[in-house]
Coordinates of all heavy atoms in Angstrom, one line a residue:
M7 N 4.5 -31.2 14.2 CA 4.3 -30.0 15.0 C 3.0 -30.3 15.8 O 2.0 -30.8 15.4 CB 4.0 -28.8 14.1 CG 3.8 -27.5 14.8 SD 3.5 -26.0 13.8 CE 5.1 -25.7 13.2
N8 N 3.0 -29.8 17.0 CA 1.9 -30.0 18.0 C 0.7 -29.2 17.4 O 0.8 -28.1 17.0 CB 2.4 -29.4 19.3 CG 1.4 -29.7 20.4 OD1 0.3 -30.2 20.2 ND2 1.8 -29.5 21.6
P9 N -0.5 -29.9 17.5 CA -1.7 -29.2 16.9 C -2.1 -27.9 17.6 O -2.5 -27.0 17.0 CB -2.8 -30.2 17.1 CG -2.1 -31.5 17.3 CD -0.7 -31.2 17.8
S10 N -1.8 -27.8 18.9 CA -2.1 -26.6 19.6 C -1.2 -25.5 19.3 O -1.5 -24.3 19.2 CB -2.2 -26.8 21.1 OG -0.9 -27.2 21.6
L11 N 0.1 -25.9 19.0 CA 1.1 -24.9 18.6 C 0.7 -24.3 17.2 O 0.8 -23.1 16.9 CB 2.5 -25.5 18.6 CG 3.6 -24.6 18.1 CD1 3.7 -23.4 19.1 CD2 4.9 -25.3 18.1
K12 N 0.3 -25.2 16.3 CA -0.1 -24.8 15.0 C -1.3 -23.9 15.0 O -1.3 -22.9 14.3 CB -0.5 -26.1 14.2 CG -0.7 -25.9 12.7 CD -1.0 -27.2 12.1 CE -0.1 -27.4 10.9 NZ -0.5 -28.7 10.2
L13 N -2.3 -24.1 15.9 CA -3.4 -23.3 16.1 C -3.0 -21.9 16.6 O -3.4 -20.9 16.2 CB -4.4 -23.9 17.0 CG -5.7 -23.1 17.3 CD1 -6.5 -22.8 16.0 CD2 -6.5 -23.8 18.4
F14 N -2.1 -21.9 17.6 CA -1.6 -20.7 18.2 C -0.9 -19.8 17.2 O -1.1 -18.6 17.1 CB -0.6 -21.0 19.4 CG 0.1 -19.8 19.9 CD1 -0.7 -18.9 20.7 CD2 1.4 -19.5 19.6 CE1 0.0 -17.7 21.2 CE2 2.0 -18.4 20.1 CZ 1.3 -17.5 20.9
I15 N 0.0 -20.4 16.4 CA 0.7 -19.7 15.3 C -0.3 -19.1 14.3 O -0.1 -18.0 13.9 CB 1.8 -20.6 14.7 CG1 2.9 -20.9 15.7 CG2 2.3 -19.9 13.4 CD1 3.9 -21.9 15.2
R16 N -1.2 -19.9 13.9 CA -2.2 -19.4 12.9 C -3.0 -18.2 13.5 O -3.3 -17.2 12.8 CB -3.1 -20.6 12.5 CG -4.0 -20.3 11.3 CD -4.8 -21.5 10.9 NE -3.9 -22.4 10.2 CZ -4.2 -23.7 9.9 NH1 -5.4 -24.2 10.4 NH2 -3.4 -24.5 9.3
Q17 N -3.4 -18.3 14.8 CA -4.2 -17.2 15.4 C -3.3 -16.0 15.6 O -3.7 -14.9 15.3 CB -4.7 -17.7 16.7 CG -5.9 -18.6 16.6 CD -6.4 -19.1 18.0 OE1 -5.6 -19.0 19.0 NE2 -7.6 -19.6 18.1
M18 N -2.0 -16.2 15.9 CA -1.1 -15.1 16.1 C -0.9 -14.4 14.8 O -0.9 -13.1 14.8 CB 0.2 -15.6 16.7 CG 1.2 -14.4 17.0 SD 0.6 -13.3 18.2 CE 0.9 -14.2 19.7
L19 N -0.7 -15.1 13.7 CA -0.5 -14.5 12.4 C -1.7 -13.7 12.0 O -1.6 -12.7 11.4 CB -0.1 -15.5 11.4 CG 1.3 -16.1 11.5 CD1 1.6 -17.2 10.4 CD2 2.3 -14.9 11.2
G20 N -2.9 -14.3 12.3 CA -4.1 -13.6 12.0 C -4.3 -12.3 12.7 O -4.6 -11.3 12.1
V21 N -3.9 -12.2 13.9 CA -4.0 -11.0 14.7 C -2.9 -10.0 14.2 O -3.2 -8.8 14.0 CB -3.8 -11.3 16.2 CG1 -3.6 -10.0 17.0 CG2 -4.9 -12.1 16.8
V22 N -1.7 -10.4 13.9 CA -0.7 -9.5 13.4 C -1.1 -8.9 12.1 O -0.9 -7.7 11.8 CB 0.7 -10.3 13.4 CG1 1.7 -9.5 12.6 CG2 1.2 -10.6 14.8
M23 N -1.6 -9.8 11.2 CA -2.0 -9.3 9.9 C -3.2 -8.3 10.0 O -3.2 -7.4 9.3 CB -2.3 -10.5 8.9 CG -1.1 -11.3 8.6 SD 0.2 -10.4 7.8 CE -0.5 -10.1 6.2
A24 N -4.1 -8.6 10.9 CA -5.3 -7.8 11.0 C -4.9 -6.4 11.6 O -5.5 -5.4 11.3 CB -6.3 -8.4 12.0
A25 N -3.8 -6.3 12.3 CA -3.3 -5.0 12.8 C -2.4 -4.3 11.8 O -2.4 -3.1 11.7 CB -2.6 -5.3 14.1
L26 N -1.7 -5.1 11.0 CA -0.7 -4.5 10.1 C -1.3 -4.0 8.8 O -0.9 -3.0 8.3 CB 0.4 -5.5 9.9 CG 1.7 -5.1 9.2 CD1 2.3 -4.0 10.1 CD2 2.6 -6.2 9.0
V27 N -2.2 -4.7 8.3 CA -2.8 -4.4 7.0 C -3.5 -3.0 7.0 O -3.2 -2.2 6.1 CB -3.8 -5.5 6.5 CG1 -4.6 -5.0 5.3 CG2 -3.0 -6.7 6.1
P28 N -4.3 -2.6 8.0 CA -4.8 -1.3 7.9 C -3.8 -0.2 8.0 O -3.9 0.9 7.4 CB -5.8 -1.2 9.1 CG -6.1 -2.6 9.4 CD -4.9 -3.4 9.0
V29 N -2.7 -0.4 8.8 CA -1.7 0.6 9.0 C -1.0 0.8 7.6 O -0.7 1.9 7.2 CB -0.7 0.1 10.1 CG1 0.6 1.0 10.1 CG2 -1.3 0.1 11.4
V30 N -0.6 -0.3 6.9 CA 0.0 -0.2 5.7 C -0.8 0.5 4.6 O -0.4 1.3 3.9 CB 0.5 -1.6 5.2 CG1 0.9 -1.6 3.8 CG2 1.6 -2.2 6.1
L31 N -2.1 0.1 4.6 CA -3.0 0.7 3.6 C -3.2 2.2 3.9 O -3.2 3.0 2.9 CB -4.4 0.1 3.7 CG -4.5 -1.3 3.1 CD1 -5.9 -1.9 3.3 CD2 -4.1 -1.3 1.6
V32 N -3.3 2.6 5.1 CA -3.4 4.1 5.4 C -2.2 4.8 5.0 O -2.2 5.9 4.4 CB -3.8 4.3 6.9 CG1 -3.6 5.7 7.3 CG2 -5.2 3.8 7.2
A33 N -1.0 4.2 5.3 CA 0.3 4.9 5.0 C 0.4 5.0 3.5 O 0.8 6.1 3.0 CB 1.4 4.1 5.6
F34 N 0.2 4.0 2.7 CA 0.4 4.0 1.3 C -0.7 4.8 0.6 O -0.5 5.1 -0.6 CB 0.5 2.6 0.7 CG 1.9 2.0 0.9 CD1 2.2 1.2 1.9 CD2 2.9 2.4 0.0 CE1 3.4 0.6 2.1 CE2 4.2 1.8 0.2 CZ 4.4 1.0 1.2
L35 N -1.8 5.1 1.2 CA -2.8 5.9 0.6 C -2.8 7.3 1.0 O -3.0 8.2 0.2 CB -4.2 5.3 0.8 CG -4.5 4.0 0.2 CD1 -5.9 3.5 0.7 CD2 -4.5 4.0 -1.3
S36 N -2.5 7.6 2.3 CA -2.5 9.0 2.8 C -1.2 9.8 2.5 O -1.3 11.0 2.2 CB -2.8 9.0 4.3 OG -1.7 8.4 5.0
I37 N -0.1 9.1 2.4 CA 1.2 9.9 2.2 C 1.2 10.4 0.7 O 1.5 11.6 0.6 CB 2.4 9.0 2.5 CG1 2.5 8.8 4.0 CG2 3.7 9.6 1.9 CD1 3.6 7.8 4.4
P38 N 0.9 9.7 -0.3 CA 0.8 10.3 -1.6 C -0.2 11.3 -1.8 O -0.1 12.3 -2.5 CB 0.6 9.1 -2.6 CG 1.0 7.9 -1.8 CD 0.8 8.2 -0.4
Y39 N -1.4 11.2 -1.1 CA -2.4 12.2 -1.1 C -2.0 13.5 -0.5 O -2.2 14.6 -1.0 CB -3.7 11.6 -0.4 CG -4.8 12.6 -0.4 CD1 -5.6 12.9 -1.5 CD2 -5.1 13.3 0.8 CE1 -6.6 13.8 -1.5 CE2 -6.1 14.3 0.8 CZ -6.9 14.5 -0.3 OH -7.9 15.4 -0.3
T40 N -1.3 13.4 0.6 CA -0.8 14.6 1.3 C 0.3 15.3 0.5 O 0.3 16.5 0.5 CB -0.3 14.2 2.7 OG1 -1.3 13.5 3.4 CG2 0.2 15.4 3.5
L41 N 1.2 14.5 -0.1 CA 2.3 15.1 -0.9 C 1.8 15.6 -2.2 O 2.6 16.3 -2.9 CB 3.4 14.1 -1.0 CG 4.1 13.6 0.2 CD1 5.1 12.6 -0.1 CD2 4.8 14.8 0.9
G42 N 0.7 15.2 -2.7 CA 0.2 15.5 -4.0 C 0.8 14.7 -5.1 O 0.8 15.1 -6.3
G43 N 1.3 13.5 -4.8 CA 1.9 12.6 -5.7 C 2.8 11.6 -5.0 O 2.9 11.7 -3.8
H44 N 3.3 10.7 -5.7 CA 4.2 9.7 -5.1 C 5.6 10.3 -4.7 O 6.1 11.1 -5.5 CB 4.3 8.5 -6.0 CG 3.1 7.7 -6.1 ND1 2.5 6.9 -5.2 CD2 2.2 7.7 -7.2 CE1 1.4 6.4 -5.6 NE2 1.2 6.8 -6.8
P45 N 6.2 9.9 -3.6 CA 7.5 10.3 -3.3 C 8.5 10.0 -4.4 O 8.5 8.9 -4.9 CB 7.9 9.6 -2.0 CG 6.6 9.2 -1.4 CD 5.6 9.0 -2.6
G46 N 9.2 11.0 -4.9 CA 10.2 10.7 -6.0 C 9.7 11.2 -7.3 O 10.4 11.3 -8.2
D47 N 8.4 11.4 -7.4 CA 7.8 11.9 -8.7 C 8.2 13.4 -8.9 O 8.3 14.1 -7.9 CB 6.3 11.8 -8.7 CG 5.8 10.4 -8.9 OD1 6.6 9.6 -9.3 OD2 4.6 10.2 -8.8
E48 N 8.3 13.8 -10.1 CA 8.5 15.2 -10.4 C 7.3 16.0 -10.1 O 6.2 15.6 -10.5 CB 8.9 15.3 -11.9 CG 10.1 16.3 -12.1 CD 10.5 16.3 -13.6 OE1 11.0 15.3 -14.1 OE2 10.2 17.3 -14.2
R49 N 7.5 17.2 -9.5 CA 6.3 18.0 -9.2 C 6.3 19.2 -10.1 O 7.3 19.8 -10.5 CB 6.4 18.5 -7.8 CG 6.5 17.5 -6.7 CD 5.2 17.1 -6.1 NE 5.2 16.3 -4.9 CZ 5.8 15.1 -4.8 NH1 6.6 14.7 -5.7 NH2 5.7 14.4 -3.7
V50 N 5.1 19.7 -10.5 CA 4.9 20.9 -11.3 C 4.9 22.0 -10.3 O 4.1 22.0 -9.3 CB 3.6 20.9 -12.0 CG1 3.3 22.2 -12.8 CG2 3.6 19.7 -13.0
P51 N 5.7 23.0 -10.5 CA 5.8 24.1 -9.5 C 4.5 24.9 -9.4 O 3.8 25.1 -10.5 CB 6.9 25.0 -10.0 CG 7.2 24.6 -11.3 CD 6.7 23.2 -11.5
D52 N 4.1 25.3 -8.2 CA 2.8 26.0 -8.1 C 3.1 27.5 -8.4 O 3.8 28.2 -7.8 CB 2.4 25.9 -6.6 CG 1.0 26.5 -6.4 OD1 0.3 26.7 -7.4 OD2 0.6 26.6 -5.2
T53 N 2.5 27.9 -9.6 CA 2.7 29.3 -10.0 C 2.1 30.3 -9.2 O 2.5 31.4 -9.1 CB 2.3 29.4 -11.5 OG1 0.9 29.1 -11.6 CG2 3.1 28.5 -12.4
A54 N 1.0 30.0 -8.5 CA 0.3 31.0 -7.7 C 1.2 31.4 -6.5 O 1.2 32.5 -6.1 CB -1.1 30.5 -7.2
A55 N 1.8 30.4 -6.0 CA 2.7 30.7 -4.8 C 4.0 31.5 -5.3 O 4.5 32.3 -4.5 CB 3.1 29.4 -4.1
A56 N 4.4 31.2 -6.5 CA 5.6 31.9 -7.0 C 5.4 33.3 -7.3 O 6.3 34.2 -7.3 CB 6.1 31.2 -8.2
L57 N 4.1 33.8 -7.6 CA 3.9 35.1 -7.9 C 3.4 36.0 -6.8 O 3.1 37.1 -6.9 CB 2.8 35.2 -9.0 CG 3.2 34.5 -10.3 CD1 2.0 34.5 -11.3 CD2 4.4 35.2 -11.0
H58 N 3.3 35.4 -5.6 CA 2.8 36.1 -4.4 C 3.9 37.2 -4.0 O 5.0 36.9 -3.8 CB 2.6 35.2 -3.3 CG 2.0 35.8 -2.1 ND1 0.8 36.5 -2.1 CD2 2.4 35.9 -0.8 CE1 0.5 36.9 -0.9 NE2 1.5 36.6 -0.1
M59 N 3.4 38.4 -3.9 CA 4.3 39.5 -3.5 C 4.1 39.8 -2.0 O 3.1 40.2 -1.6 CB 3.9 40.8 -4.3 CG 3.9 40.6 -5.8 SD 5.6 40.3 -6.4 CE 5.4 40.8 -8.0
T60 N 5.2 39.7 -1.3 CA 5.2 40.0 0.1 C 6.3 41.0 0.5 O 7.3 41.1 -0.1 CB 5.3 38.7 1.0 OG1 6.6 38.1 0.7 CG2 4.2 37.8 0.8

């Protein structure tokens, strides 16, 4: 493989990973926090909302 091509591929992978890793981390940390648990987990029903009289 051409040395300049090897350098280009290494730099390109570095840029792609530098852009992708923060996006993945934010998604996997913020979605469970927003949902109050991991998707697919059983949720305890909120009793305060169930007793609200409107």
Side-chain angles (χ1 to χ4, degrees):
M7 182 182 288
N8 190 349
S10 62
L11 180 62
K12 191 180 231 182
L13 178 64
F14 172 75
I15 291 173
R16 194 175 282 165
Q17 286 177 341
M18 183 62 78
L19 285 176
V21 169
V22 168
M23 292 303 287
L26 193 61
V27 166
V29 172
V30 169
L31 286 176
V32 167
F34 278 98
L35 293 175
S36 66
I37 290 173
Y39 178 76
T40 304
L41 293 175
H44 293 286
D47 283 351
E48 223 175 290
R49 305 261 190 309
V50 177
D52 188 12
T53 57
L57 298 176
H58 184 59
M59 305 293 203
T60 57

